[in-house]
Amino acid sequence: MTGQASLSSRPLARLWPRRRPSVLPGFGLTLGFAVFYLGLLVLLPLAAVFLRAAGLTPEAFWALVTHPRTIAALRVSFGASLVAAFINVGFGALTAWVLVRYRFPGRRLLDAVVDLPFALPTAVAGIALSSLYAVNGPLGGLLAPLGIKVAYTWLGVVVALTFIGLPFVVRTVQPVLEDLDKGQEEAAATLGASRWQTLRRVVLPALAPALLTGFTLAFARAVGEYGSVIFIAGNLPYRTEIAPLLIVIQLGEYNYAGATALAVVMLVIAFVLLLAINLLQAWSRRRLGGV
Amino acid sequence: MDHPMPPAPASPTPGPSAARAFPSRRRGRWHPPTTETAPTRAVLIAGAVLFLLLVLLAPLISVFAEALADGLPGYVAALTDPEALSAIRLTLLVAVLSVPLNALFGLAAAWAIAKFEFPGKSLFITVIDLPFSISPVIAGLVYVLVYGAHGVLGPFLQAHDLQVVFALPGIVLATMFVTVPFVARELIPLMQEQGTGDEEAALSLGASGWQTFWRVTLPNVKWALLYGVLLCNARAMGEFGAVAVVSGRIRGFTNTMPLQVEILYNEYNTVAAFAVASLLAVLALATLVLKTLLEWRYGDALMARRGH
Amino acid sequence: MRIDIQGIHKEFGQFPALRGVELTIGDGELIALLGPSGSGKTTLLRVIAGLERPDAGQILFNGADMADTPVQERNVGFVFQHYALFRHMTVEDNIAFGLAVRRGRQRPSRAQRRARARELLELVQMGGLHHRFPAQLSGGQRQRVALARALAIDPAVLLLDEPFGALDAKVRKDLRRWLRALHDETGHTTVFVTHDQEEALELADRVVVMRDGIIEQIGTPEDLCLRPATPFVYGFLGDTNMLAVLVREGTAWLGDRALALPPAPPVPDGPARLYVRPHDFRFTDDSDGAIPGTVQAIRRRLDALRIEVSVGGHHGPVEVALPAPAPAPEPGQTVWLRPIAHGLFPGGQGVFSEYEA
C-alpha cells in the first residue's frame, strides 16, 4: 500500500502525486462534484472580487481604503469586535467552567441556551437587542439614569457583538475543560498549591490555547457581523458605522469600487485570522498533545 | 513444604454499622481539592447565569413580549398580512432549494475526504470552512459583482433576459454560499473516525458501491447528517446580511422573513416586525430543542470521539 | 514516618469502596497495596493523601490525626497513574512546581529551585533533559519526572498509584528495580498500588492484599506465597486448583475417597474447598489417599510440563505442573495425584468460584 514499488516503476507518479489506492469507489465522482460545487459557489465569485479590485490602480485602491469614512468604519468594527471578544473570553470561560464543573438545577437548559446566537437569525437578535437597550426599553431604561446609553452608541455595537460571539468561546473551551485531566489539579494540590495557585498556574495555561482560539473565532465573526449590529448601532458615519454596513451603503450608491476595495481589505483580514486559528490549533496540538 | 494454615484474615472487618459509629465530625476545613468552596461555587454560578440571562435570554423573551404587545389579534393580523405570507413562502422556498444541495455537497465532500487519501486534503477542508470566516455582506457582494448589471456576467444575463441578482436565484445562491460548510463539517470528522473498514467489508461481501453507500455508510452517519441539515436550515432561513445585499428588497417578491423584519422595524411597525421575528425565534428554539435532543440521544453517533 | 490507618470506611454513592481498613505502615517501609480493580486499593491511597475524605475512621501521621489537614498541608508525594505532568511546563518547571508555590520565606529562590530540580533530575537519571516538555518524553521518562516532582517537596511519605501500569514490560522491570534502589537510598516511607502480583512481591517489604474494600491479608512476600490466609489470596496469587470436598471427622473426602493430606489445622465437618497449586501435585504409584484421574492433555512450556488431569465428578480438569525435564505421561493414562501442600477452607462450593484459576 505504500506505493514504493509503483513509484519506481512509474516515474510519472512522482511528478503527479496520486491518491493512495483504495478499493472504495466514487473518489472521482465525489471529489469532482465537491470541488466543482465549491468552486462555482464560493471560489470563483470570491475571485471576482479580487479581479474587480485588480482593475483599480494602486493609487485609487489606496485612496478608497484610506478614505476617512472607511478608516472610521474599520476602526469601529475592529475596536468593538476586540472589546466584545475580550468580554466573551472572560464570561465564556466562566460559563464553560460553570457548565462543566458544577452541577446545579437548570444546567442543561443553560447549556442549550448558549447556542442561541447560532440559531437565532441575526436580524431578530438585532431588533430585540435594540428595543431592549433603547432608552425607553427594559434594560436601557435601567441604565439611562446611570448616564449609560447603549442603543445607538458604540456600546450598542459591543453589546450586539458580544451576543453573537459568546458561543464561540464557550464551545471552544468546553470540550477542552471536559478533557482536562483532574489528576493535574490533584497533583498541584499534593505539591502544596492552593486552589487559586492551581487555577492560575495549571488550569489557565492548559485552557490558554482554547481561549485564544475562541477569542479569535469570536473576533473574526464579530468583524464581519452585520444583521445584529445595524439595528442597535444607530449607524452614524464616522461614529457607529461598521465596515459591512459601509459596503452595503456603497453598493446602494453604485460605488462598486469602494465596496470592492473595502471587501478586499476585510477578506484579507479574514484569511489572516483563519490562518492564525489553524496555526494556533496546530501549535497547541504539537506542544501539548500526546501526554 | 507442609505448613500450617493461619486461621483468619489479618484484618478485622467490622460491618457497615461501624461507619455510623463515627459521626462525620470533620466538615471543617476539608473539601475536595479539585473544586471550589461552596460560596465560591455559588457566586460563579450566579455570575454565569446572570450574564446568560441578560445577554442571551433577555433578547429572546423581548421578541415574544414585543410581538404580543398589542395582544393576540394584532399578532395574528401581522402574520396574515399578504406581504408577511409572501415572505414566509419565499423563505421556505429558499431553504428547500439550498439545504438539500448543501447536504448533497456535504456527503460528497465527506466521502472523498474521509475515505481517501489525496494531496491537498487539509487545504480542501480549510476552503470548505471559508464561508464561515467571510462577512455575509461580502458573500452577497460577490454575487452582485458577478451577476449584477455591472457584473462580470451582467451583459450576458441582460442579453438573455435572465435575472439573478434582485431575484430568487441570487437569494438562493447567497444563502448557499453562507451555509455551504454546515453539513460537511458535521460529517467529515465523524466519517474520518469511522474509517473505511465497514465499507471494505460490505464490498468484500459483494455489495456494489451504491449499495455500500445506502446500506452501510448512510446509516452510520444519518444522525450527524440530520444534525448538520438542522443547523444548515436554521441559518438558511435566518440569513440576513448576504440576502439583504442581493435581494433588492422588492416587497412581496424578494423579501425573505428576516428582510421583512427589517423593513417593518424601520417603518416603526414594531409589533408586526416582532411578530415575523417571533416566527424566526420559534424556528431557532425548535432548532435548539432538536439539536439538544439529538446530542442527548445520539451523542455517540454524532461526535467523532477522541480515543475510546 | 509512621502511618496508622484506623477503621477507614468510604462509600461512593451506594458503592462501598473501603469497609473498615486497619493498617499500620512503619517508618521507611515499602508497602504494596495489591488487589483486582474495584478492591479499594487506589481509594485507600487517595484517602491517605487527603484527596478523598473517609466517611469514618482516622489517618494518623506519626500519631497526629490528619482529618483536618488538607492535602496541600499533608506533605505527601503522590505519583499519579498517568503521571499528571503539567503539559505546558518544562520538565524543570514541573519538578520545581511544589517549591514555586510555597509562600513567603518558605519559598526558595529561583536559583535554588532550579538547582533542586536539576539535582532531582540527576537522581532519576535524566540529567540534561530539563528543557523538554512532557510530550517530548517517553513513558518511562515521564514516570521518572513524576517521581522527581513528588520528591522535590521532600515528602513525608511517597504514594504511587499503579506506578508502572502504563509502561511496557521491559521498561517496567527496569524501573521496578530502580525504584527499589531509590527507596533504599532515600528511605522514604512508600506505599504503592498495583494489580500485578509479581510487581508487589518483587518490590515490597510487605504486601497488603485487598478485595471488595477489605484487607484479605497483610504479610511479607514469603508469607503470601507460602501461607495464603484466604481462598481469595490463594486464587489471586498464581494459579490454583479448587476441589469441592467434604470434611468428616477431620478427613477430607473427594467423592468416595478419603484424601491423605499433609498436616494442617483442623477444619470443621461439612463442605469445604481444597486448594492445591499445580506445582504442589505429585504423581504417585501409591493409590492410598491419592486422587485418581485420567490424563487429558499435555502442554509443554519453557519452565514446566502442564498436564490436564480429569478427576471425575463435576470438576473441570485439574492442572498439574511438573518440572520441565520430567517425562510426559500419555494422554488417556490413569494417574494418581498427591498434594504436597494445600489450603483447606470451610464453606460450600461456589462462594469463591469466580476466583478459581
Side-chain angles (χ1 to χ4, degrees), chain A residues 99-111:
Chain A
L99 288 177
V100 172
R101 286 301 178 94
Y102 302 153
R103 292 293 170 268
F104 54 94
R107 186 183 63 91
R108 289 193 90 97
L109 184 71
L110 216 59
D111 195 6

Side-chain angles (χ1 to χ4, degrees), chain A residues 127 231, chain B residues 78-79 81 83-85 87 249 251 255-277:
Chain A
I127 63 168
F231 297 99
Chain B
L79 289 184
D81 179 84
E83 281 181 16
L85 288 176
R249 294 185 181 78
R251 303 189 91 160
N255 264 356
T256 60
M257 287 165 76
L259 296 177
Q260 185 70 12
V261 168
E262 183 198 21
I263 289 180
L264 292 169
Y265 189 79
N266 287 344
E267 288 171 348
Y268 301 101
N269 193 348
T270 316
V271 169
F274 277 102
V276 178

Side-chain angles (χ1 to χ4, degrees), chain A residues 37 41 102 108 115 195, chain B residues 36 102 143 150 291 296:
Chain A
Y37 188 93
L41 195 64
Y102 302 153
R108 289 193 90 97
D115 279 335
R195 186 64 187 149
Chain B
E36 287 67 45
N102 278 340
Y143 287 108
H150 304 277
K291 175 177 168 298
W296 192 48

Side-chain angles (χ1 to χ4, degrees), chain B residues 168-181:
Chain B
L168 181 65
I171 298 174
V172 174
L173 280 175
T175 305
M176 278 162 67
F177 181 106
V178 175
T179 55
V180 161

Side-chain angles (χ1 to χ4, degrees), chain B residues 29-202:
Chain B
R29 295 175 59 202
W30 202 96
H31 75 94
T34 54
T35 188
E36 287 67 45
T37 56
T40 314
R41 281 203 302 272
V43 168
L44 293 180
I45 292 172
V49 169
L50 196 68
F51 179 78
L52 293 184
L53 274 179
L54 279 181
V55 175
L56 299 189
L57 272 183
L60 185 69
I61 294 163
S62 88
V63 169
F64 294 101
E66 300 269 0
L68 294 167
D70 285 357
L72 210 54
Y75 181 74
V76 173
L79 289 184
T80 47
D81 179 84
E83 281 181 16
L85 288 176
S86 125
I88 293 171
R89 265 196 305 274
L90 181 60
T91 293
L92 291 176
L93 181 63
V94 168
V96 162
L97 290 173
S98 57
V99 173
L101 281 171
N102 278 340
L104 196 63
F105 163 77
L107 276 171
W111 178 270
I113 286 170
K115 308 292 180 192
F116 301 93
E117 292 301 327
F118 57 92
K121 189 153 104 172
S122 56
L123 179 72
F124 188 44
I125 297 175
T126 310
V127 172
I128 291 176
D129 269 348
L130 200 58
F132 274 155
S133 8
I134 291 175
S135 173
V137 166
I138 294 177
L141 170 77
V142 297
Y143 287 108
V144 173
L145 291 184
V146 173
Y147 298 105
H150 304 277
V152 182
L153 300 177
F156 171 82
L157 292 171
Q158 267 178 337
H160 293 80
D161 203 20
L162 294 169
Q163 181 123 31
V164 174
V165 170
F166 309 139
L168 181 65
I171 298 174
V172 174
L173 280 175
T175 305
M176 278 162 67
F177 181 106
V178 175
T179 55
V180 161
F182 279 97
V183 176
R185 69 155 27 195
E186 294 302 329
L187 292 183
I188 290 169
L190 180 68
M191 283 169 70
Q192 271 181 325
E193 168 162 299
Q194 287 174 347
T196 56
D198 288 9
E199 283 78 10
E200 282 164 0

Side-chain angles (χ1 to χ4, degrees), chain C residues 302-318:
Chain C
L302 271 179
D303 55 342
L305 203 58
R306 293 265 171 173
I307 302 157
E308 280 177 17
V309 178
S310 106
V311 294
H314 41 262
H315 290 287
V318 164

Side-chain angles (χ1 to χ4, degrees), chain A residues 57-233:
Chain A
T57 64
E59 294 77 25
F61 183 83
W62 187 247
L64 285 168
V65 299
T66 54
H67 188 281
R69 189 169 170 187
T70 308
I71 295 282
L74 284 170
R75 190 179 292 150
V76 171
S77 273
F78 280 88
S81 298
L82 210 58
V83 173
F86 272 114
I87 295 173
N88 279 331
V89 163
F91 282 96
L94 171 69
T95 305
W97 180 265
V98 164
L99 288 177
V100 172
R101 286 301 178 94
Y102 302 153
R103 292 293 170 268
F104 54 94
R107 186 183 63 91
R108 289 193 90 97
L109 184 71
L110 216 59
D111 195 6
V113 162
V114 168
D115 279 335
L116 188 67
F118 283 158
L120 195 67
T122 53
V124 178
I127 63 168
L129 287 169
S130 177
S131 69
L132 266 181
Y133 286 97
V135 188
N136 54 359
L139 292 178
L142 291 176
L143 295 170
L146 306 171
I148 303 171
K149 272 193 70 184
V150 177
Y152 316 127
T153 69
W154 191 79
L155 212 54
V157 180
V158 173
V159 166
L161 295 181
T162 305
F163 174 87
I164 56 129
L166 182 72
F168 289 95
V169 179
V170 178
R171 295 302 184 224
T172 314
V173 173
Q174 215 172 0
V176 179
L177 205 49
E178 269 161 8
D179 282 358
L180 203 66
D181 176 18
K182 274 202 177 174
Q184 294 200 14
E185 289 164 60
E186 292 183 337
T190 63
L191 294 167
S194 69
R195 186 64 187 149
W196 171 242
Q197 284 176 316
T198 303
L199 289 179
R200 195 168 58 81
R201 307 180 71 134
V202 175
V203 177
L204 195 62
L207 293 183
L211 285 170
L212 205 54
T213 306
F215 175 89
T216 317
L217 286 170
F219 179 72
R221 168 73 200 262
V223 166
E225 178 56 20
Y226 174 71
S228 58
V229 180
I230 55 165
F231 297 99
I232 197 175

